[in-house]
Amino acid sequence: MTYLVTSLQLSAEAGIAEFFRRSAGQWRSERRYFTLRNDHIEEVESLITVCFLEQGHPDLVELAQMHRLEDDTALVCGAYTSWESNYRGKNRKQQSGSTVFGAYNGILYRDRGFATAAPVLAKFSLPEAQTLRLRTEYDGSVFEEEIKLIGSNYRTRQTIISRAGDEQMIGQYLEKRIQAAF
């Protein structure tokens, strides 16, 4: 099969690869979730580990198969991300997990979503080299996220979650690198 590849597609794929490379390492994340309908605030502290994945990495091949892509090596790059989180306040709880991201043709493929264990897709863009924007839709919800690298040791994230066009929750994150890529 022959694919027509545009320079815009190539630059998006090169941009996402560089963004994932620059994000590799361990991060300490402090975040707040604001539930808009009742003004509830939840605070969470996490340890996040990000590993860059080259094209053809077994995790990306498995992800391509999960999404039934024709070419198992179509995902040009990706990231394996794991986390250990501690929720603060009255409802203290611990949570851990992981997810795999793979990029191809302006789409970020994931093995799971924010609120589902099912595989999901997100449209991505890089309006600047240090800023990644994602838009994910499933089960009637829309997740709009922006991740911004600030120098080499900080990043900010903001997520807006909407349902039926009504904003439900805002998540704001400040993350500090505690270890560079392995």
Side-chain angles (χ1 to χ4, degrees), residues 63 66-67 80-83 95-102 108-122 136 138 143:
L63 184 61
M66 186 182 294
H67 282 277
Y80 171 84
T81 302
S82 63
W83 62 88
Q95 188 178 35
S96 61
S98 65
T99 190
V100 176
F101 300 89
L108 199 59
Y109 293 80
R110 294 183 63 175
D111 63 344
R112 58 171 293 121
F114 300 104
T116 180
V120 297
L121 303 173
T136 310
Y138 58 86
F143 302 82

Side-chain angles (χ1 to χ4, degrees), residues 7-61:
S7 61
L8 184 59
Q9 179 182 341
L10 287 174
S11 65
E13 290 178 353
I16 192 74
E18 183 58 24
F19 189 89
F20 283 153
R21 278 188 190 93
R22 290 183 60 204
S23 294
Q26 281 193 323
W27 300 84
R28 181 175 176 268
S29 175
E30 293 189 33
R31 62 188 188 264
R32 296 177 75 170
Y33 291 109
F34 301 89
T35 304
L36 301 178
R37 71 176 181 274
N38 62 10
D39 291 331
H40 175 73
I41 298 172
E42 190 166 41
E43 294 183 341
V44 183
E45 185 176 305
S46 300
L47 178 63
I48 300 171
T49 302
V50 180
C51 300
F52 178 73
L53 303 176
E54 296 278 352
Q55 186 171 24
H57 187 280
D59 287 350
L60 293 179
V61 170

Side-chain angles (χ1 to χ4, degrees), residues 78-135:
Y80 171 84
T81 302
S82 63
W83 62 88
E84 294 178 21
S85 299
N86 291 300
Y87 288 70
R88 301 179 189 158
K90 290 187 254 179
N91 299 326
R92 290 178 171 251
K93 63 181 175 179
Q94 291 184 318
Q95 188 178 35
S96 61
S98 65
T99 190
V100 176
F101 300 89
Y104 175 65
N105 200 20
I107 303 292
L108 199 59
Y109 293 80
R110 294 183 63 175
D111 63 344
R112 58 171 293 121
F114 300 104
T116 180
V120 297
L121 303 173
K123 293 180 183 174
F124 76 85
S125 64
L126 291 123
E128 304 167 338
Q130 70 276 10
T131 304
L132 174 63
R133 288 191 184 141
L134 303 169
R135 181 179 173 91

